[in-house]
Amino acid sequence: MEPSSDVPPSQTTPTTQAKPVAQAVPTATPTNAEVPPLPPKDKGKVCSNRKKFITWDNFEKVDIGDGHFKAVCNYCQKTYLADSKGRGTANLLNHTPVCVKSPNRVTHKGQQTLAFEPKKYGEEGFQLVPTAFTVEAARKALAEMVIIDELPFRFVEGYGFQRYSTTLQPKLQIRDIPSRQTVARDVIDIYGVEREKLRGALKGHRVCLTTDTWTSIQNLCYMSLIGHFIDDNWKLHKRILNFCQVKDHKGETIGRKIEMLDNASSNGVIIKFLENVTKDWEGTILEHEFLHMRCCAHILNLIVGDGMREIDASIAKVREVVRYVKSSPNRNQTFVGFVERLGIESKSLLCLDVPTRWNSTYLMLETTQKFEKVFIQMDYEDDSYSSYFMNKENSGGMGSPSGIDFQNCRTFVGFLKLFYNATKKFSGSLYVTANTFFDEMFVIQENIFHLSKSQNHLLKNMAIKMESKFDKYWGKGDKMNHLLYVVVVLDPRKKLRFLKFCFSEIYGNEVADVMVELVRGSLVKLYNYYSRVDSPNIQVPSGSERTDIGESIGCSDPYAMINSRFDCFLEAEQSIGCSNEIDKYLDENCESRRGDVKFEILGWWNVNSNRYQVLSKLARDVLTVLVSTVAYESAFSTRGRILDPFWSSLSPLLVQNLVCAQDWLQALNLKNY
């Protein structure tokens, strides 16, 4: 985990973990009655020649060097670029009537409309508020719609949209609807405002950073930087911090981009580069011992890819029968007739897979195996079907799938389902994933081991290939970043006991004892670091300090009060002999694993943060770690990510502004700030 400096996200790129990103500029929101006096006129280097334009009565023109100027609002201190060439006064004119501190602020007169507005995050229901139409608000909402819905800028100049807008709001004139150039400028302004909000949201938090690379249809290389952090209310947040163009996908190129943002990365070359340039940063934890985390979803893709190559012949035959059925309406109708005649009930229909996405191959095989009897019957009775597969030009000489092919696919589907479910869990970005990885790895590893003892030669070879790839990346647990195991220990349902159980089941007690000691050592090192940094001087209060016996007198439920005091007494007794919070935490019993679906690990640490003041800070940081660097929609893909034609047609700056602003606005609309 790495600290991060005050460099805006607009100048940077990706990686694995870091600290606060920036300092947000505080903005006061007084009432209309709280109008402050005008600030003194001698601030900064003020240009002596005041503009005659009336709007400059509300602004000061400040020289910022190199022939550039900025305009500073006399009331709220908001700044705008105000160069004499290339910059007009439109921003100044738009700001004056809506400045929250200005005595000249425009107030809405006349009749207002009542509207229902959702309450703030965490509150239920709606509240009735008065609203009034303004062109400025409509213009901002239009720009946000273009960002969120990925609309082309020319959309605002369409006759249909303009007619719809003026019909919906008669007060809106066609001349008030901005042009495509104006909307593009508004998008950039919104990006700047939302970026400042993000700075404030990230302040004081360590951030887990992941990277991903994209390619446009013009073969331009882009890199996205995604940050995850847990706020003070123990809620996990995801934000795209940057989306910028890079000249290539080489490690050092990406590393230098990341250095500009003060972050960490996900590639061997990048990691080495960043370790050198960030090792002396303030806030660096244990000299980057836990800096780099491999993408578990990517490793699962590699393991599945090796396994699928061993059984590719059977998969290809099944794929060909699906292609045959879906190639014409007549063939599909014949297939449906056989299904009805054989009495096979299934709501799922045949689907052809995309070879570069193994999850679609899994779904194709899972659906097709249900119709094995149909295809065997068609081979006997349907002349078109049998002649198609006898013709080498049609099916490549493979022939139709046999019962053995379907049996191989059926076994493979059952095994592939483990990888499918694991990848779905790993690819989540709005919930904690690191504490679930070890469960999935344990199940997959056990199944690979058992399949490698199979009597089926084909499936046995497939399992051996997968086992070899598994050992290459994970070994006997020693090749993984120990931070992942620390996260498992910080799951109160598992702790060190679960690690010992799993390692002993797979590798034996000797390996289990060694790994448990290594993981405990890593946890202790992290805890000692956080203790030095935070130094809260925590003492566990005794039961008498927590509850006064007099509180039970007159209590509506004195028995509940006694039980509560007894719980405090037991906790104090249990803490005797524990030298630190780690001993106290590990000595307590594990939480029940029953009802896992309802268990929220962040909620548990939120409730127990007062009991474990240092350990909870450690938990909040490491629980942000993701086991996958890619989003769900691309987690199963074996190819790179491609920008669509609309984004590819724009300049890199606009692409950056649109991608980032879209993510931030959607998060804001979900009340995640």
Side-chain angles (χ1 to χ4, degrees), residues 320 386-400:
E320 195 58 39
S386 56
S387 62
Y388 176 87
F389 285 97
M390 289 177 63
N391 189 334
K392 293 185 178 181
E393 293 182 2
N394 293 330
S395 62
M398 293 183 297
S400 58

Side-chain angles (χ1 to χ4, degrees), residues 401-413:
S402 63
I404 296 177
D405 291 321
F406 277 109
Q407 180 59 39
N408 288 339
C409 288
R410 188 174 290 107
T411 304
F412 186 61
V413 163

Side-chain angles (χ1 to χ4, degrees), residues 89-359:
T89 55
N91 286 337
L92 279 58
L93 282 171
N94 292 334
H95 173 79
T96 301
V98 296
C99 177
V100 294
K101 294 186 177 182
S102 172
N104 302 317
R105 182 183 180 188
V106 174
T107 56
H108 303 297
K109 298 180 180 180
Q111 186 175 7
Q112 293 183 316
T113 304
L114 292 177
F116 287 101
E117 184 179 84
K119 291 186 178 180
K120 294 182 179 180
Y121 180 72
E123 300 179 3
E124 296 181 357
F126 296 83
Q127 53 187 359
L128 199 61
V129 295
T131 62
F133 171 77
T134 64
V135 173
E136 293 78 13
R139 177 173 157 181
K140 180 185 176 185
L142 176 59
E144 290 180 350
M145 180 182 72
V146 169
I147 294 171
I148 294 173
D149 295 338
E150 299 181 20
L151 299 173
F153 295 139
R154 66 175 182 274
F155 173 81
V156 300
E157 296 179 349
Y159 171 74
F161 169 74
Q162 293 181 348
R163 183 171 178 270
Y164 170 77
S165 300
T166 54
T167 302
L168 189 67
Q169 176 51 260
K171 294 181 180 179
L172 181 68
Q173 304 296 318
I174 289 184
R175 66 173 180 271
D176 295 326
I177 299 176
S179 65
R180 68 178 74 181
Q181 291 84 3
T182 302
V183 169
R185 289 195 295 270
D186 289 346
V187 165
I188 296 174
D189 290 341
I190 290 173
Y191 168 83
V193 171
E194 296 302 321
R195 182 180 61 185
E196 293 306 313
K197 291 181 182 179
L198 181 60
R199 286 176 181 269
L202 293 176
K203 182 181 178 182
H205 299 97
R206 287 192 177 271
V207 184
C208 170
L209 302 173
T210 60
T211 65
D212 200 3
T213 53
W214 294 64
T215 304
S216 71
I217 57 177
Q218 297 99 345
N219 287 325
L220 297 176
C221 302
Y222 286 85
M223 186 172 68
S224 65
L225 177 69
I226 300 175
H228 286 79
F229 67 97
I230 297 174
D231 65 18
D232 294 333
N233 295 319
W234 290 86
K235 295 188 180 297
L236 180 66
H237 299 265
K238 165 186 169 290
R239 299 290 186 274
I240 295 178
L241 302 182
N242 198 13
F243 192 92
C244 65
Q245 185 182 353
V246 292
K247 65 180 182 181
D248 53 53
H249 290 169
K250 293 180 180 179
E252 187 170 345
T253 302
I254 297 175
R256 293 191 181 280
K257 278 286 184 179
I258 296 168
E259 180 190 5
M260 295 168 60
L261 185 63
D262 303 341
N263 290 324
S265 169
S266 59
N267 169 286
V269 178
I270 306 172
I271 291 298
K272 184 170 289 189
F273 174 84
L274 289 173
E275 282 179 348
N276 291 332
V277 299
T278 63
K279 62 183 179 181
D280 296 326
W281 285 1
E282 182 182 355
T284 296
I285 296 179
L286 301 177
E287 298 181 351
H288 291 319
E289 183 176 344
F290 305 106
L291 177 66
H292 180 217
M293 189 75 65
R294 291 185 182 275
C295 174
C296 293
H298 178 65
I299 296 174
L300 288 183
N301 275 343
L302 297 176
I303 295 173
V304 171
D306 277 11
M308 291 180 70
R309 277 192 287 273
E310 286 297 316
I311 199 174
D312 191 56
S314 296
I315 294 175
K317 288 183 179 181
V318 173
R319 181 183 293 121
E320 195 58 39
V321 297
V322 175
R323 182 178 287 114
Y324 169 83
V325 171
K326 297 184 71 66
S327 61
S328 74
N330 289 336
R331 290 175 177 175
N332 187 68
Q333 189 60 40
T334 302
F335 170 78
V336 172
F338 275 94
V339 171
E340 293 175 350
R341 199 177 82 187
L342 293 173
I344 297 176
E345 296 182 1
S346 177
K347 295 182 179 180
S348 55
L349 301 176
L350 293 178
C351 57
L352 192 61
D353 70 326
V354 179
T356 58
R357 298 182 65 87
W358 66 263
N359 66 316

Side-chain angles (χ1 to χ4, degrees), residues 30 49 80 84 371:
N49 296 326
Y80 295 92
S84 57
F371 302 104

Side-chain angles (χ1 to χ4, degrees), residues 493 592-599:
R493 299 165 299 173
S592 174
R593 289 174 64 87
R594 296 175 182 175
D596 273 1
V597 177
K598 297 181 179 180
F599 183 82

